[in-house]
Amino acid sequence: MIPNEIAISVQGLKKSYKNIPVLKGVDFKVKTGSIFALLGSNGTGKTTIVKILTTLLKHDSGTAVVNGFDVASKPDSVRQSISLTGQFAAVDEILSGRENLIMIARLRHLKNPRQVADDLLKRFGLTDAANRRVSTYSGGMRRRLDIAMSLVGKSQLIFLDEPTTGLDPEARIEVWKFIKELSDNGTTVFLTTQYLEEAEQLADRIAILQNGRIIVNDTLTELKKLFPPTKVEYIEKQPTLEEIFLAIVGKKEEK
Amino acid sequence: METIKNYYFTDLSVMLGRSMRHHFRSVDTIITATIMPVALMLLFVYVLGGAIESGSNNYVNYLLPGVLLMAIANSMGYTSFRLFNDVQKGIFERFHSMPIARSAALWGHVLVSLVSNAVSVVVIILIAFIMGFRSPAGVLSWLAVIGILALFTLALTWLAAIPGLTAKTQDGAIAIAYPIHILPLISSAFVPTNTMPTVVSVFAENQPVTSIVNAMRALLNNQPVGNDIWIALAWCIGIMLVAYIFAMRAYKKRV
């Protein structure tokens, strides 16, 4: 990869919390414009990596370069070029959806905060709820607003830390759709998740974090090759509960 | 060095606007910070006032400084509460991953405390006027009173910021409010301290609220302020500096 094509480059990244090592030498690269999924169980350090890359946490050793800027020596330049959607929807509940977006647009020093807000509200299907306080929003709406807030200012690189945790299946599929759209528009997406299906659906490249190291980092096709070749077997395909749920809910909505 | 254009005051004004909305959209806050002290003032003047020997023939004049301090003290639980929520709900993380001045988010809360208390103070003084408060004080004395109130507000706000930033639970965050509420009651705010039992009066004579109340009372009555004003200023500035150092330390640890 030539330098311009690398959005994130991490080498030998180490971090301990009070002598308990969480990251023991993490290495990976993320290609510009791709969707990179970091998989791992709870407590393996996915969020720690996100926090280091978004300048919220200092690492102990190793290097992390984001959009060509070292996170340790050029944190302000890093912040200029990224957006973070944290693990819990970081929205202001007392403000309305529109006010939340306008606030972020003003903090990003954009010229037309209102226009930016209205466009995003429309894109995320929140126009009708725009003037309601966020405390009245459903979990899915909050997450949509949260992601919309991360899109203010059109950062080249977006970090999504477990974006669908706690969402119902419909809301999850909706979020997936937005993530795909983002990537289609050339934004690099760094995603952490504990859902294998999510990585399978979205990611160009999947890395698995375990015991403080990246143990696998490859495309889905290559990962599948790690296992014995496909055999043709005839089995009855049972619908999953998710498919049943979506079919029933979908029918109801059509009525 | 990085050359990022500095938008400190723009960022600060956005933060201020946000916290102002939080303040004025919370009926609870307005009741506690403005209506309760007014109600107490009515109670003391019209119910207890006849029986209290304050040594002054206009009890509203005697009472006003203490009621103002009480109003300010009452609002402090909300400063802790709002800061605690911002830390817990990830809003601070969102702000800190953006290219804005780090301390702007914290100063936004502090300035709101100043502005909202100024509003409460004006409302209470207007109602006191209706109830018969009169002052021969000149412009300079009034400026001194305003200065003392502002310093008192800043000192308590920074003090309240510490539990807001460090508490593990919401109850812990607002616990600071209770000792602060008690201070005006055990002071010269409502009755002269020489009417109290020795132990209580020694405490009352030597705690910050008494000297602040005495200094304000003297200023408003055009009487010599003596040492009280210097003791009052020393308390306010001392508490403010120590609390500021600890609050800033807690804040930096959080980000």
Side-chain angles (χ1 to χ4, degrees), chain A:
Chain A
M1 289 190 269
I2 54 168
N4 279 350
E5 289 187 335
I6 302 171
I8 304 175
S9 168
V10 172
Q11 274 177 344
L13 195 68
K14 288 186 185 167
K15 174 74 188 174
S16 304
Y17 290 108
K18 288 178 185 162
N19 298 326
I20 300 164
V22 178
L23 305 178
K24 301 174 187 166
V26 170
D27 303 277
F28 65 87
K29 283 190 169 71
V30 176
K31 227 177 119 187
T32 303
S34 69
I35 300 183
F36 182 91
L38 184 63
L39 279 172
S41 323
N42 275 336
T44 46
K46 300 189 297 288
T47 300
T48 303
I49 293 181
V50 170
K51 284 192 174 174
I52 292 170
L53 293 177
T54 54
T55 76
L56 294 175
L57 196 65
K58 288 195 172 75
H59 52 278
D60 300 334
S61 62
T63 55
V65 178
V66 172
N67 289 326
F69 305 108
D70 189 290
V71 292
S73 61
K74 302 248 187 248
D76 283 332
S77 306
V78 171
R79 284 180 212 130
Q80 291 270 349
S81 66
I82 61 159
S83 249
L84 166 67
T85 303
Q87 206 162 354
F88 308 100
V91 292
D92 190 322
E93 299 197 345
I94 292 162
L95 304 184
S96 69
R98 175 177 279 121
E99 286 170 335
N100 265 288
L101 287 163
I102 291 174
M103 172 176 75
I104 299 295
R106 287 185 61 201
L107 289 172
R108 289 220 176 255
H109 315 117
L110 303 182
K111 287 219 175 74
N112 300 306
R114 277 167 195 286
Q115 188 58 46
V116 171
D118 286 341
D119 290 348
L120 282 165
L121 286 164
K122 200 172 161 198
R123 188 168 151 200
F124 282 82
L126 291 166
T127 307
D128 292 339
N131 295 321
R132 259 164 52 197
R133 282 198 203 180
V134 174
S135 53
T136 66
Y137 283 22
S138 70
M141 289 163 81
R142 270 168 211 236
R143 206 30 141 175
R144 257 145 57 199
L145 177 64
D146 193 23
I147 295 176
M149 281 161 78
S150 295
L151 301 192
V152 171
K154 299 197 177 82
S155 304
Q156 315 154 36
L157 169 59
I158 290 194
F159 290 88
L160 298 162
D161 194 4
E162 301 197 9
T164 61
T165 300
L167 292 189
D168 59 47
E170 285 167 280
R172 182 182 309 159
I173 290 167
E174 225 170 42
V175 168
W176 287 351
K177 199 185 85 196
F178 288 124
I179 296 175
K180 278 181 192 153
E181 274 178 24
L182 268 182
S183 174
D184 293 342
N185 292 331
T187 309
T188 312
V189 178
F190 182 99
L191 174 81
T192 76
T193 182
Q194 26 177 335
Y195 301 120
L196 307 181
E197 199 200 343
E198 188 158 291
E200 196 171 342
Q201 285 278 336
L202 297 172
D204 298 311
R205 214 174 168 86
I206 297 165
I208 299 175
L209 182 69
Q210 201 184 13
N211 292 327
R213 288 195 175 83
I214 302 280
I215 52 170
V216 184
N217 177 354
D218 226 322
T219 59
L220 184 63
T221 332
E222 293 297 316
L223 285 178
K224 281 184 172 164
K225 283 187 193 160
L226 292 174
F227 293 90
T230 25
K231 281 188 294 185
V232 179
E233 275 182 39
Y234 291 97
I235 48 163
E236 257 180 65
K237 189 176 181 306
Q238 294 278 347
T240 63
L241 185 56
E242 181 163 326
E243 283 165 343
I244 296 170
F245 173 82
L246 291 171
I248 297 170
V249 172
K251 263 181 205 154
K252 271 198 178 153
E253 278 181 359
E254 280 165 23
K255 272 180 195 171

Side-chain angles (χ1 to χ4, degrees), chain B residues 20-207:
Chain B
M20 287 305 289
R21 288 192 167 109
H22 279 235
H23 182 84
F24 288 105
R25 280 180 193 178
S26 159
V27 179
D28 192 43
T29 318
I30 294 169
I31 289 176
T32 312
T34 313
I35 300 179
M36 272 299 288
V38 168
L40 273 174
M41 185 162 67
L42 294 169
L43 175 83
F44 269 93
V45 172
Y46 295 122
V47 181
L48 306 172
I52 293 175
E53 292 291 336
S54 65
S56 140
N57 47 12
N58 184 335
Y59 190 51
V60 186
N61 279 4
Y62 186 83
L63 207 58
L64 184 66
V67 170
L68 294 177
L69 295 188
M70 193 166 222
I72 293 168
N74 278 3
S75 73
M76 288 307 149
Y78 292 98
T79 300
S80 305
F81 173 73
R82 286 195 290 257
L83 270 169
F84 178 78
N85 274 343
D86 276 5
V87 172
Q88 293 299 315
K89 294 195 174 154
I91 304 255
F92 271 3
E93 283 196 350
R94 161 158 258 144
F95 289 151
H96 293 143
S97 70
M98 292 172 60
I100 57 179
R102 289 227 153 178
S103 61
L106 186 54
W107 272 104
H109 284 275
V110 174
L111 289 184
V112 163
S113 177
L114 269 182
V115 174
S116 62
N117 276 306
V119 173
S120 295
V121 161
V122 169
V123 170
I124 292 167
I125 291 177
L126 287 177
I127 291 174
F129 260 112
I130 299 169
M131 291 167 67
F133 164 72
R134 294 293 177 268
S135 166
V139 178
L140 275 182
S141 299
W142 272 105
L143 283 178
V145 168
I146 291 166
I148 291 174
L149 287 173
L151 277 176
F152 182 73
T153 309
L154 276 176
L156 289 191
T157 304
W158 283 110
L159 197 61
I162 300 171
L165 291 165
T166 56
K168 303 235 167 11
T169 64
Q170 193 168 305
D171 292 335
I174 56 175
I176 182 84
Y178 302 114
I180 293 182
H181 284 185
I182 302 271
L183 283 184
L185 293 175
I186 315 172
S187 76
S188 62
F190 303 102
V191 292
T193 52
N194 57 23
T195 60
M196 301 171 186
T198 322
V199 179
V200 184
S201 91
V202 167
F203 175 79
E205 283 291 340
N206 293 293
Q207 64 119 323

